[in-house]
Amino acid sequence: MIARECFKIEVGEIAKELGVTPKSIQFRTMTRKLASCSINGRLTFDISLLSKPKEFRREIILHELLHLRYPTHGRMFKTTLKAYKAKD
């Protein structure tokens, strides 16, 4: 399990790569999903992500950070997500 601060560093590194800046990053127990992004730019992650493999965490972080640029799962969101996944 990684520490919350290490996770936040991962988020910051991916955010810099994407050119976005989340307003805040928080953790809590989530029952229906692993993460969410508010319209105000707040990212919330399920605490279970702290014990997941780095590649899995990256996919979830990438998905949520892209919502800062593209709020919906439209064509640009999907295309950009696919491009960044291909880079890995």
Side-chain angles (χ1 to χ4, degrees):
M1 179 179 278
I2 66 165
R4 292 174 189 213
E5 290 307 313
C6 291
F7 188 95
K8 288 181 179 183
I9 291 169
E10 283 184 42
V11 173
E13 290 170 351
I14 298 169
K16 186 176 180 180
E17 184 180 336
L18 295 174
V20 297
T21 306
K23 298 283 189 229
S24 68
I25 300 166
Q26 60 186 26
F27 299 90
R28 69 181 196 143
T29 301
M30 301 177 81
T31 58
R32 295 183 179 207
K33 51 190 169 183
L34 292 172
S36 67
C37 178
S38 75
I39 59 172
N40 298 324
R42 179 180 54 240
L43 300 179
T44 304
F45 295 97
D46 183 77
I47 57 172
S48 71
L49 282 173
L50 298 175
S51 63
K52 301 293 184 195
K54 184 173 183 167
E55 299 79 25
F56 183 79
R57 290 192 311 265
R58 180 173 168 76
E59 280 193 41
I60 302 299
I61 294 167
L62 179 61
H63 181 105
E64 296 308 323
L65 286 171
L66 279 176
H67 279 306
L68 296 176
R69 186 175 295 154
Y70 308 109
T72 66
H73 292 114
R75 181 181 298 153
M76 286 303 296
F77 177 90
K78 290 176 183 175
T79 301
T80 306
L81 181 61
K82 186 176 180 180
Y84 275 94
K85 282 184 176 183
K87 289 173 72 175
D88 293 337

